[in-house]
Amino acid sequence: MASPTTFSSSFSSASFAPGADTEEPMADEATARAWLAMEGFAEGDLRSEITINDYEWFPMLDACYEGELGVCKWLHNNGAAEDVSTANNNGVTPMYIACQQGQLSVCKWLFEVGAAADITKARNDGDTPMYIACHSGHLPVCKWLFEVGAAADITKADNDGDTPMWIACHGGHLSVCKWLF
């Protein structure tokens, strides 16, 4: 598993149409189980948890972090469906982590399969998916969140009083700052 503080700037597509980039096929069982073992999860337990740097990780959260949409689909169809909206010990949901990583296709899929309410769900420190997408400079994710119901979050401050505009400026994400303005 990559470090939870590493940020990626890749994403599948800037299209906002439902299902537009969520057509990746579901992983086969052997591939999904090999991925789970490689990531350090208990063999045969699709809902196990591991702790890394005081953060609890479970397979669906990790697959969303990594952008493994095929594995996400397999987990969903094989016993971990409720985990699409499960939060870890810090309040991080699969939607939040996918937004952090710029995994737009995963975000759209999560939205379609039951995590729609999570587009505005803040983690324990008040950071929302919009906030973290702005922090990470993922403009397509920011725009998608805005269009599907998180428009009010573009001005919502976290528990420290930091707004998406402040964090985007602080991070040097000019395109996000211009969009927010």
Side-chain angles (χ1 to χ4, degrees):
M1 172 189 319
S3 167
T5 57
T6 304
F7 296 106
S8 169
S9 63
S10 65
F11 36 89
S12 300
S13 169
S15 171
F16 302 128
D21 57 359
T22 60
E23 297 302 316
E24 180 178 324
M26 181 173 66
D28 62 71
E29 184 165 350
T31 300
R33 290 195 182 276
W35 181 88
L36 286 166
M38 181 182 71
E39 295 296 305
F41 293 103
E43 184 176 338
D45 186 356
L46 307 183
R47 305 196 64 228
S48 62
E49 291 183 357
I50 57 175
T51 302
I52 301 172
N53 299 328
D54 296 324
Y55 288 89
E56 292 173 357
W57 289 84
F58 49 92
M60 184 66 76
L61 186 68
D62 190 20
C64 291
Y65 177 88
E66 298 288 343
E68 294 286 348
L69 182 56
V71 173
C72 293
K73 290 177 177 182
W74 186 86
L75 289 166
H76 183 267
N77 290 345
N78 287 280
E82 69 187 71
D83 286 347
V84 298
S85 59
T86 297
N88 73 2
N89 60 321
N90 292 307
V92 174
T93 63
M95 180 66 77
Y96 180 94
I97 206 83
C99 291
Q100 172 185 301
Q101 296 302 105
Q103 308 291 1
L104 185 57
S105 61
V106 174
C107 295
K108 290 178 179 182
W109 176 80
L110 288 165
F111 188 86
E112 292 171 3
V113 298
D118 291 349
I119 63 168
T120 58
K121 185 175 182 183
R123 67 182 196 171
N124 298 351
D125 63 3
D127 293 355
T128 62
M130 179 67 78
Y131 179 95
I132 198 63
C134 291
H135 177 275
S136 303
H138 300 304
L139 183 57
V141 173
C142 297
K143 289 180 176 180
W144 175 78
L145 286 166
F146 184 89
E147 290 190 9
V148 297
D153 287 351
I154 64 171
T155 57
K156 185 176 180 183
D158 69 4
N159 295 351
D160 294 326
D162 299 334
T163 63
M165 176 63 90
W166 184 88
I167 200 67
C169 291
H170 181 72
H173 303 297
L174 184 59
S175 62
V176 174
C177 295
K178 286 180 177 179
W179 175 75
L180 287 166
F181 187 72

